[in-house]
């Protein structure tokens, strides 16, 4: 397994390299964000340990850029910034885990092993189906590049569907995952909110599969009339 450590504190970077090499990893080190980004893009690494406060390019910007390029390298962030909002920012911008300094080396290794087990499957920060984009952290939805305002329930419904693009999702499944199980919600509540959602994102994007459920699809592109 090849790891990339991006850390500007040289003593800590050297200690991480020695410890990880002793565990059998091949380790490369970068000391600033720009070099780390370039190495992550082209180095064929299995995971990256990334500091937040880096010269030239912050760890936040590094991971955002990688995710924007659809690069799914597992990222474990390390930082002395231990506030809950700092940790939330790191995870929301695309990191897979966040560990605060000072840290336990045993815990670092365990979290790294967990990341490696997950692999490099796609896990975008912004979810998309065709021209519909949903940002779970920012609670924003764009349709064809235009922001659309949704209620909390409409947003939750769209988020569940957009995580399963092209799949048929039953009313029962939507009730189980979007509505509070403790409430006695009538099944027609799903139909009502599907109607609300269709009016906001376009009927053509949300299909009814009779007897089975609903399916979110990419809207068909409009083909210009060659005679026009």
């Amino acid at each position: 397994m090849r790891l990339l450590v991006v850390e500007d504190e040289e003593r800590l970077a050297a200690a991480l390299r020695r410890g990880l090499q002793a565990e059998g990893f091949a380790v490369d080190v970068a000391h600033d964000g720009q070099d780390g980004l370039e190495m992550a893009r082209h180095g064929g690494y299995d995971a990256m340990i990334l500091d937040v406060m880096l010269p030239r390019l912050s760890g936040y910007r590094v991971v955002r850029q990688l995710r924007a390029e659809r690069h799914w390298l597992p990222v474990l962030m390390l930082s002395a910034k231990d506030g809950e909002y700092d940790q939330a920012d790191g995870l929301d911008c695309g990191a897979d885990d966040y560990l605060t300094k000072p840290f336990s080396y045993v815990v670092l290794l365990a979290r790294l092993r967990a990341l490696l087990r997950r692999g490099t499957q796609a896990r975008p920060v912004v979810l998309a189906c065709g021209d519909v984009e949903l940002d779970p952290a920012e609670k924003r939805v764009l349709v064809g590049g235009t922001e659309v305002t949704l209620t909390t329930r409409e947003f939750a419904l769209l988020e569940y569907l957009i995580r399963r693009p092209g799949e048929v999702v039953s009313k029962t499944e939507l009730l189980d995952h979007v509505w509070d199980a403790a409430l006695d919600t009538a099944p027609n509540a799903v139909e009502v909110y599907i109607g609300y959602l269709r009016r906001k994102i376009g009927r053509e994007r949300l299909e009814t599969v009779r007897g089975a459920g609903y399916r979110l699809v990419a809207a068909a592109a409009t083909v210009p009339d060659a005679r026009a």
Side-chain angles (χ1 to χ4, degrees):
M1 289 288 186
R2 296 189 64 218
L3 304 179
L4 174 61
V5 173
V6 187
E7 171 60 65
D8 63 327
E9 295 180 36
E10 295 192 11
R11 290 178 61 185
L12 176 56
L16 284 170
R17 171 182 263 166
R18 288 194 301 272
L20 292 167
Q21 286 176 336
E23 296 291 331
F25 295 104
V27 183
D28 291 332
V29 173
H31 294 297
D32 68 66
Q34 190 62 54
D35 286 347
L37 177 60
E38 290 303 316
M39 292 171 72
R41 281 170 168 159
H42 308 297
Y45 297 101
D46 296 291
M48 174 167 64
I49 297 173
L50 177 66
D51 189 22
V52 171
M53 304 299 290
L54 292 167
R56 299 179 68 195
L57 205 62
S58 75
Y60 295 144
R61 292 181 63 190
V62 170
V63 75
R64 279 196 195 98
Q65 187 60 40
L66 288 173
R67 299 309 186 230
E69 296 170 5
R70 303 188 66 77
H71 197 308
W72 309 118
L73 173 70
V75 175
L76 170 60
M77 275 191 161
L78 287 182
S79 180
K81 300 178 72 173
D82 60 358
E84 58 185 17
Y85 288 105
D86 297 316
Q87 297 178 54
D89 287 344
L91 297 170
D92 284 341
C93 74
D96 299 282
D97 202 352
Y98 191 109
L99 190 60
T100 58
K101 301 175 183 177
F103 56 85
S104 161
Y105 187 67
V106 172
V107 172
L108 172 71
L109 283 176
R111 292 190 176 191
L112 189 56
R113 288 193 295 268
L115 284 188
L116 291 169
R117 286 195 297 270
R118 295 175 205 165
T120 57
Q121 69 271 23
R123 47 198 184 284
V125 175
V126 176
L127 308 174
C129 179
D131 62 354
V132 178
E133 299 179 6
L134 181 146
D135 186 331
E138 297 293 331
K139 299 297 182 187
R140 294 180 70 232
V141 172
L142 300 178
V143 179
T146 301
E147 187 163 358
V148 174
T149 301
L150 301 182
T151 66
T152 301
R153 186 76 68 197
E154 290 164 356
F155 187 93
L157 180 58
L158 179 60
E159 181 176 359
Y160 194 80
L161 291 166
I162 205 170
R163 290 184 183 278
R164 295 152 185 79
E167 296 181 18
V168 178
V169 182
S170 70
K171 289 182 185 178
T172 301
E173 186 176 347
L174 290 170
L175 280 172
D176 287 345
H177 291 273
V178 178
W179 274 263
D180 189 339
L183 300 177
D184 186 16
T185 306
N188 70 342
V190 176
E191 298 174 14
V192 170
Y193 276 88
I194 287 289
Y196 294 157
L197 197 54
R198 278 179 171 147
R199 286 196 285 273
K200 293 184 177 181
I201 70 169
R203 296 185 62 84
E204 71 279 7
R205 296 178 177 87
L206 189 45
E207 298 178 344
T208 297
V209 181
R210 191 170 298 278
Y214 303 96
R215 176 169 53 206
L216 186 69
V217 297
T222 302
V223 179
D225 190 336
R227 296 169 297 177

